[in-house]
Amino acid sequence: MKVALHSVSYSGTWGGQTALTLEQFVEKAAVLGFESVEFAAKRPHCSPLDLSRDDRRQLKQLLADKGLTLSCVASYHDFASFFEHKDMAYMEKELLYMRSVIELAHDLGSPIVRTYTGYFKEGVPYRAQWDSCVKGIQESARMAADYGITIGVQNHSCIASDPDSLLDLMAEIDEPNAKVVLDAPFIDNHHKPLRETVHKFKGMVVHTHLTDYIRREKFKYVSETVTFTPNGMEMISVPIGKGNIDYHEFIGALHEIGYDGALSYEMCSPLVGGGSEANLDRSALESLSYVKGILAGLR
């Protein structure tokens, strides 16, 4: 296993976070000591709309010059997004974007394109949305097969977010190059055991993201009673090893099932300490050191 850095960390996606150019991000990953990177295939980072053939060649050369590999290109899809106006070409738009990301991944030398499933829409039968996601990912995998690329389905969106449901979804997709991107927080958030769940996906996991969180309950002030009432929960990112996720157990379980892909670190939420470049660097370095310590114990 090698440790990768995800470009979403420095893309300014989350309010207040420092934004780096794609080239600056590659430089940053090399300076911090990461072995690989993952690109977000959207603006402001690695959108296929913005990268010409020359840009792609130069970016691929920059990775080689810095001694970095490209472990994954993350694509952002909602295959359950086209129910309200059936005369609109929503699925075709999703698939055209998918094709452009697959071509980008091929040009840059990435073996994997990550995708989401879909976000649940009220008023539409759940199974209709499920079936749409199955069809969209099946067609994506068939397109990717022509380029020798694997589609990695991440348990991030509403449809099949539960790990056992994700297994059901993958059984229906049933494409040889459609695999799983399995992330520990989404196992934890569904109150499933880490090690046992990872073992259910033996032979299926091609990529994973490492993020650690602390939970903070939010409150709303009630002026009439001069009290506070609960107002939801907030998940705040912290360096790996300082949050709720037992990464010794998760990474150990991946090792047990023979996983040899990348462990892609991302700061995909508000971060304790704020979004300055210095704080992002500190979190990335602490996390890299912690994960390398776990890996050293597995050898």
Side-chain angles (χ1 to χ4, degrees):
M1 285 181 266
K2 57 188 175 183
V3 188
L5 184 64
H6 191 181
S7 63
V8 73
S9 309
Y10 290 88
S11 69
T13 300
W14 298 95
Q17 284 192 356
T18 297
L20 302 181
T21 67
L22 194 56
E23 291 75 14
Q24 289 171 330
F25 166 75
V26 171
E27 298 271 358
K28 175 72 67 177
V31 168
L32 292 178
F34 285 85
E35 303 163 84
S36 186
V37 292
E38 176 179 351
F39 289 154
K42 61 179 180 179
R43 291 172 176 170
H45 259 206
C46 196
S47 172
L49 287 171
D50 300 327
L51 295 173
S52 67
R53 294 296 177 192
D54 282 344
D55 292 333
R56 298 176 190 203
R57 282 192 290 270
Q58 291 173 20
L59 183 55
K60 188 175 182 180
Q61 186 61 53
L62 177 62
L63 289 169
D65 292 344
K66 297 299 176 181
L68 296 168
T69 59
L70 179 57
S71 60
C72 180
V73 173
S75 198
Y76 296 81
H77 293 272
D78 185 349
F79 286 112
S81 66
F82 63 101
F83 293 91
E84 186 174 359
H85 300 286
K86 296 184 184 300
D87 56 331
M88 295 293 104
Y90 289 114
M91 180 61 84
E92 288 93 331
K93 293 173 188 176
E94 292 287 344
L95 291 171
L96 281 169
Y97 171 50
M98 175 61 85
R99 177 183 288 167
S100 69
V101 174
I102 290 169
E103 292 171 349
L104 175 67
H106 177 263
D107 292 343
L108 295 178
S110 171
I112 299 167
V113 169
R114 188 287 316 269
T115 186
Y116 295 152
T117 55
Y119 288 94
F120 179 69
K121 315 300 183 298
E122 295 291 343
V124 180
Y126 180 81
R127 277 291 153 176
Q129 298 183 58
W130 174 289
D131 292 343
S132 176
C133 291
V134 169
K135 292 176 182 177
I137 296 170
Q138 282 177 330
E139 191 162 351
S140 298
R142 291 164 190 161
M143 286 192 295
D146 292 337
Y147 295 83
I149 286 174
T150 297
I151 296 294
V153 183
Q154 187 181 14
N155 58 327
H156 192 291
S157 313
C158 306
I159 308 301
S161 66
D162 178 272
D164 291 323
S165 293
L166 183 60
L167 286 169
D168 296 339
L169 184 83
M170 298 307 297
E172 287 194 39
I173 292 170
D174 193 27
E175 292 290 337
N177 66 319
K179 301 294 183 180
V180 169
V181 177
L182 188 66
D183 294 357
F186 289 90
I187 299 175
D188 182 72
N189 286 343
H190 288 84
H191 311 291
K192 299 295 177 71
L194 284 175
R195 183 174 181 275
E196 178 183 324
T197 301
V198 170
H199 275 260
K200 290 181 179 181
F201 287 88
K202 183 176 182 179
M204 300 175 66
V205 183
V206 292
H207 194 65
T208 184
H209 303 95
L210 308 188
T211 309
D212 216 348
Y213 293 99
I214 54 175
R215 293 180 172 88
R216 292 287 185 260
E217 191 171 1
K218 297 185 294 182
F219 291 87
K220 181 171 62 176
Y221 180 66
V222 183
S223 58
E224 295 101 320
T225 57
V226 196
T227 58
F228 291 86
T229 59
N231 190 34
M233 189 74 67
E234 186 176 24
M235 303 288 282
I236 305 174
S237 181
V238 293
I240 303 296
K242 292 189 173 180
N244 298 314
I245 308 299
D246 186 345
Y247 274 105
H248 280 275
E249 182 177 359
F250 180 70
I251 295 173
L254 288 174
H255 178 70
E256 289 166 1
I257 66 170
Y259 176 74
D260 63 353
L263 305 170
S264 185
Y265 174 61
E266 62 181 5
M267 295 167 276
C268 195
S269 68
L271 181 67
V272 166
S276 69
E277 186 172 351
N279 192 51
L280 294 174
D281 288 356
R282 278 194 297 271
S283 184
L285 281 170
E286 284 186 37
S287 299
L288 178 61
S289 176
Y290 189 85
V291 172
K292 283 189 172 181
I294 295 175
L295 293 176
L298 296 175
R299 297 190 181 102

